[in-house]
Amino acid sequence: MPEISVDVHINRSVTEVYDFLSDARNLELWFSGVHSVAESAEPAGPGVAHVYRFPGRHRDQLLQCVAYVPGEHLVFRGDRMWNLLGAQTPMYSFTLSPRPRGTLLRLTVQSRLAGALTLLAPVVAMAWRRDLPRDVRRLGERLGAPHCHVISAPRRVRLPISAFTPAAAPTTVPPALAPPAPPRPQLRPEPRSGARPGLRSEPRSEPRSEPRSEARSEARLEPHPGPHPGPRPASVPAAKERTPRPAA
């Protein structure tokens, strides 16, 4: 649903501006959203419907006053208009605020689109952005204040998400708020060459180094003895001499 607002300062009192806007017959004099309004004897007020024609349409529609707060707020809503692409329902809102040197007027236009017309929402919004500044200047001329000051044009634009979705700018997350990195998967060691396929090879554990005994360490520190000076004693005692036995 495109929604566009524009603010304008008019050098007229709030009462003069509101009385002019509340008469729907004056809309065709300055507003581009209304082509013509039929004469009606009904006074301005909430619930009053006027016969009007939307620009580019050849059939009469109803323009109903749905909000009426004297001197503050005024809203007109048109009938739903159908075509081959879908439907459109316009709504025109006027909000007035007193100022020391005049009146601050905010004009808001809403277009409720249905069907394939939602795809044309950017085009509808672009047309209102072009026409609203011209409309409020014509309003100032009709009220006798040709030097009205347009404060912002347009003030706000809303589009349906399905019709137009701008690309989101990349956002960087500060390191303090960034989520913790997931743990890395532990890879299995590759099997050695010559290992049987299908068997998982486990890493060999290194042998533990046992503490050496003090005696062994001291033995290594002693000097190695040299060769024995004397003859090496026989490990087996010598055999006794056999005496011959006398013959019988």
Side-chain angles (χ1 to χ4, degrees):
M1 179 179 65
E3 178 180 336
I4 302 178
S5 299
V6 59
D7 294 345
V8 59
H9 184 271
I10 302 176
N11 296 328
R12 292 294 179 183
S13 64
V14 174
T15 303
E16 294 176 345
V17 178
Y18 192 87
D19 292 343
F20 185 82
L21 295 176
S22 59
D23 191 351
R25 295 172 299 179
N26 294 329
L27 293 176
E28 64 181 51
L29 302 178
W30 64 274
F31 191 42
S32 60
V34 176
H35 181 266
S36 62
V37 181
E39 294 290 337
S40 176
E42 296 185 9
V48 177
H50 305 270
V51 179
Y52 89 113
R53 284 189 180 182
F54 189 82
R57 307 281 295 189
H58 302 286
R59 296 180 58 181
D60 294 338
Q61 307 287 335
L62 290 181
L63 185 67
Q64 186 178 7
C65 180
V66 296
Y68 188 89
V69 181
E72 296 181 8
H73 193 56
L74 180 67
V75 179
F76 290 102
R77 182 179 62 193
D79 279 348
R80 181 179 296 181
M81 297 174 290
W82 295 89
N83 53 27
L84 297 178
L85 298 178
Q88 177 182 1
T89 305
M91 183 177 295
Y92 315 119
S93 174
F94 306 93
T95 303
L96 291 81
S97 303
R99 290 294 184 270
R101 296 183 178 180
T103 303
L104 178 63
L105 171 64
R106 176 175 299 175
L107 171 58
T108 303
V109 177
Q110 297 179 359
S111 296
R112 297 181 180 179
L113 307 178
L117 280 178
T118 56
L119 302 177
L120 300 178
V123 179
V124 176
M126 181 179 62
W128 283 116
R129 291 178 61 185
R130 177 196 60 194
D131 296 338
L132 284 185
R134 303 175 184 175
D135 294 343
V136 294
R137 290 189 179 94
R138 283 197 296 266
L139 173 62
E141 294 176 358
R142 292 292 179 178
L143 291 173
H147 303 290
C148 61
H149 178 59
V150 180
I151 299 176
S152 61
R155 185 177 182 275
R156 180 175 53 182
V157 178
R158 292 181 181 177
L159 299 177
I161 299 177
S162 59
F164 177 74
T165 304
T171 57
T172 58
V173 181
L177 302 179
R184 296 183 179 180
Q186 298 181 358
L187 302 178
R188 297 179 179 178
E190 299 181 357
R192 296 183 177 181
S193 59
R196 296 182 180 179
L199 298 179
R200 184 174 59 185
S201 60
E202 300 180 354
R204 296 180 59 184
S205 59
E206 298 180 358
R208 299 181 179 178
S209 59
E210 299 179 355
R212 300 176 180 179
S213 60
E214 298 179 359
R216 188 175 180 182
S217 60
E218 293 177 358
R220 289 192 174 183
L221 296 177
E222 294 179 358
H224 187 72
H228 198 273
R232 186 176 183 181
S235 59
V236 180
K240 297 181 178 181
E241 296 182 0
R242 299 178 62 182
T243 56
R245 296 179 64 181

